[in-house]
Amino acid sequence: MSLIKSKKLNEKLIVIESDDWGSERIPNIKTREDLRSFGINIDSNPHLKYDTLERLEDLEIFETAIKDIYEKYGKKIKITTNFNVVNPDYDKIAASGYTNYFYQPFKENYFQRDKNHAVWMKIQEMIKNQIFQPQYHGREHVNVNLWLSELRDGNPFYQKAFESGCFAIDSPVKNKNQKNVLASLEYNSVEDQNFIKGSIIDGLNIFEDIFDFRSKTIVPTRHVWHTDQESIFKEGGITHIQTSLKQIHPTSDGYKYIYHNTGERNRFTDMRYLVRNIYFEPSYSEDIDWVSKSYNKIRYLLYMNIPVIISMHRINFAGGLDSQNIQRNVSLFKDLISKIIINYPEVEFISSDQLSSKLN
């Protein structure tokens, strides 16, 4: 039904949306193995196996692939890189006894790890060359108050991860009405609601300070948000929400699923939606023929003149925990893009904010 209702455009357009840039998931291999030895399930979640802060080598591998495509087909590829603009400052949080939250801009994490600014300089270069187009994923990729509550309550798994400079693990939480520590916009109290409102505005301002422009789109972490937060997005300059087919809307009785379609306008909040209709996530499974599966659906979408919106998380471009991960995935990515261009030479690759302008 979402595809039928999606707005149709005369151009053949492809948007590639990539979440989690800037967010430090698993800092390094030692941290991952320490978590494993403590009994935290690593192997069932690809993000815990592969996802880590982008490195200079990763950016160079991907940049080379993009240049190869351009040299072969004369076609520019643009990636919407959705950034979380801060990461927790673990030392300051620990010093407060887990009672106060402190953060640092993601650029500082690059420097702390590498002792140089090479990654940030390369990202700026890729933005200038129109390979990357940053948009807003959230201030941090953690539900701050839920996370701090688990730490204060002595959750041994979160405490162990915290000691290793990590928050993003799969572990039960005590709050039965709020289970996902990575869903940063979820709240269950007025106090949390106000905190999150402040974090949205603060995060959008930090985004502008870092990139020198306002983000036009947002993709709420884990696609979890309260519809009443859309007025806050609008206040911060957001016009469109990147989302999966289903918005996960928290209620007092659990989660409610709200279905959206690309180009849809919410008449109450005036927000519009960009709905992902292709999932090209080869890091999630090596048992799937991602190229054929994705291409077959892309053919149908282009035939219907529906903008193709591909989800391809940062994990697919991360090699810090497994150098083969990015090599394998970039090769598959090149295969898919080449197949599209060969069969649809008129296709254009644009960013989410560019698509939002076409849908107004």
Side-chain angles (χ1 to χ4, degrees):
M1 185 61 71
S2 173
L3 292 180
I4 295 173
K5 291 184 176 181
S6 292
K7 188 164 183 177
K8 315 298 189 296
L9 297 172
N10 291 329
E11 307 144 285
K12 296 196 181 303
L13 302 174
I14 293 182
V15 175
I16 302 167
E17 295 179 341
S18 187
D19 299 347
D20 301 339
W21 294 82
S23 180
E24 187 168 49
R25 183 103 185 200
I26 305 298
N28 49 55
I29 293 173
K30 182 181 184 303
T31 295
R32 184 183 66 185
E33 297 312 308
D34 286 347
L35 296 175
R36 189 198 303 275
S37 65
F38 190 70
I40 294 173
N41 187 346
I42 298 297
D43 297 307
S44 65
N45 185 336
H47 284 275
L48 296 178
K49 289 176 67 176
Y50 301 124
D51 200 11
T52 188
L53 195 65
E54 50 273 10
R55 308 171 303 160
L56 179 61
E57 300 97 305
D58 302 333
L59 297 171
E60 289 175 339
I61 289 169
F62 186 62
E63 181 183 44
T64 298
I66 296 297
K67 289 180 177 178
D68 287 347
I69 292 169
Y70 180 74
E71 289 175 4
K72 189 170 185 178
Y73 302 108
K75 189 71 67 173
K76 290 188 174 182
I77 310 299
K78 182 177 286 189
I79 309 295
T80 302
T81 44
N82 293 311
F83 275 84
N84 293 103
V85 293
V86 309
N87 287 294
D89 188 320
Y90 293 90
D91 290 340
K92 290 183 179 179
I93 294 171
S96 78
Y98 309 132
T99 59
N100 295 313
Y101 178 66
F102 301 91
Y103 60 72
Q104 58 188 22
F106 69 87
K107 294 189 295 182
E108 295 185 21
N109 294 94
Y110 299 145
F111 186 80
Q112 287 175 346
R113 180 192 61 192
D114 304 330
K115 303 300 183 285
N116 61 60
H117 298 287
V119 171
W120 176 235
M121 292 172 64
K122 174 57 71 173
I123 287 174
Q124 290 178 296
E125 178 186 330
M126 294 173 78
I127 294 170
K128 181 179 179 180
N129 292 335
Q130 298 185 33
I131 297 172
F132 281 176
Q133 175 62 8
Q135 291 289 280
Y136 185 67
H137 193 19
R139 191 176 68 177
E140 53 276 304
H141 205 313
V142 62
N143 191 292
V144 170
N145 289 338
L146 175 60
W147 181 50
L148 294 183
S149 174
E150 291 298 310
L151 291 167
R152 288 193 301 270
D153 288 346
N155 185 314
F157 296 104
Y158 282 103
Q159 286 188 339
K160 178 63 178 178
F162 184 96
E163 292 169 5
S164 299
C166 174
F167 59 82
I169 60 172
D170 290 329
S171 180
V173 298
K174 294 180 180 179
N175 188 335
K176 301 301 182 183
N177 295 321
Q178 190 173 339
K179 300 177 181 179
N180 195 331
V181 77
L182 298 183
S184 60
L185 300 187
E186 184 176 352
Y187 63 81
N188 280 306
S189 70
V190 173
E191 179 183 5
D192 288 351
Q193 181 183 15
N194 290 332
F195 176 88
I196 291 171
K197 177 180 179 179
S199 76
I200 295 169
I201 299 301
D202 184 39
L204 285 165
N205 290 336
I206 294 171
F207 181 98
E208 183 176 22
D209 288 342
I210 291 173
F211 294 110
D212 293 325
F213 63 89
R214 301 291 289 186
S215 181
K216 291 180 64 176
T217 73
I218 181 176
V219 50
T221 56
R222 289 300 180 98
H223 304 290
V224 178
W225 77 93
H226 302 254
T227 299
D228 60 14
Q229 291 171 326
E230 294 185 11
S231 61
I232 307 170
F233 302 162
K234 183 178 180 181
E235 178 184 340
I238 297 295
T239 62
H240 287 69
I241 300 173
Q242 301 177 39
T243 180
S244 63
L245 176 62
K246 296 184 293 187
Q247 170 192 350
I248 304 173
H249 185 286
T251 73
S252 58
D253 298 323
Y255 294 118
K256 172 184 176 183
Y257 298 102
I258 303 174
Y259 290 82
H260 294 296
N261 55 80
T262 294
E264 171 194 351
R265 174 180 169 273
N266 187 320
R267 63 190 179 91
F268 298 106
T269 67
D270 203 36
M271 280 291 109
R272 295 179 185 267
Y273 306 96
L274 307 176
V275 177
R276 296 175 182 180
N277 44 33
I278 298 287
Y279 289 84
F280 190 77
E281 304 281 6
S283 285
Y284 288 5
S285 174
E286 294 184 40
D287 298 328
I288 296 173
D289 184 347
W290 289 97
V291 174
S292 295
K293 180 181 179 181
S294 299
Y295 177 72
N296 288 336
K297 189 170 183 181
I298 288 169
R299 287 179 59 197
Y300 173 75
L301 295 170
L302 293 177
Y303 173 77
M304 295 292 292
N305 290 325
I306 296 171
V308 176
I309 304 179
I310 301 174
S311 172
M312 191 177 183
H313 279 71
R314 188 269 311 269
I315 183 177
N316 298 289
F317 305 118
L321 301 181
D322 184 338
S323 60
Q324 295 302 308
N325 181 57
I326 183 172
Q327 297 284 357
R328 179 176 59 247
N329 298 334
V330 167
S331 177
L332 292 172
F333 175 77
K334 286 179 67 177
D335 288 347
L336 176 63
I337 298 301
S338 297
K339 195 168 187 177
I340 293 169
I341 295 172
I342 290 169
N343 290 281
Y344 298 93
E346 72 275 34
V347 74
E348 290 183 68
F349 295 86
I350 65 173
S351 58
S352 300
D353 53 328
Q354 287 177 309
L355 178 60
S356 71
S357 298
K358 293 177 178 291
L359 293 172
N360 283 335

